[in-house]
Amino acid sequence: PLTLTTTNLLSGAESASSPTTSLVDLSTGETYSSGLSGPPTVSSNIITQTVTALQAGRRYLLIWGFTAATGKIWEVETILECRKRS
């Protein structure tokens, strides 16, 4: 599983809720939904998402979304590079 710690993005009494994730294969620009295993979860301002079936030699963009407060929605992007090993 991959995690995103949201604590430094929040202020005061805010907390992360309603987490979402999407995964894009940067080689094709297509959404790669089969690479996400189940929905994201949030606990103590840490969002967790399990990824699977990523292919060696490809790059992916994992987009994390969450609500911090009414009307305040964050999106954070993480690049995943899956390198081939000899």
Side-chain angles (χ1 to χ4, degrees), residues 9-58:
L9 301 173
L10 304 171
S11 63
E14 294 178 345
S15 63
S17 64
S18 305
T20 61
T21 53
S22 60
L23 187 64
V24 176
D25 182 335
L26 293 176
S27 302
T28 64
E30 302 276 329
T31 299
Y32 188 59
S33 299
S34 60
L36 297 175
S37 180
T41 59
V42 64
S43 177
S44 300
N45 292 326
I46 297 173
I47 302 171
T48 302
Q49 175 65 63
T50 300
V51 295
T52 187
L54 302 182
Q55 299 174 16
R58 292 194 180 244

Side-chain angles (χ1 to χ4, degrees), residues 55-84:
Q55 299 174 16
R58 292 194 180 244
R59 295 176 70 215
Y60 299 90
L61 177 65
L62 179 59
I63 304 167
W64 310 79
F66 66 93
T67 300
T70 302
K72 186 176 180 181
I73 299 171
W74 281 92
E75 275 196 354
V76 178
E77 299 179 348
T78 302
I79 300 279
L80 306 174
E81 293 197 35
C82 299
R83 297 185 180 156
K84 294 181 183 180

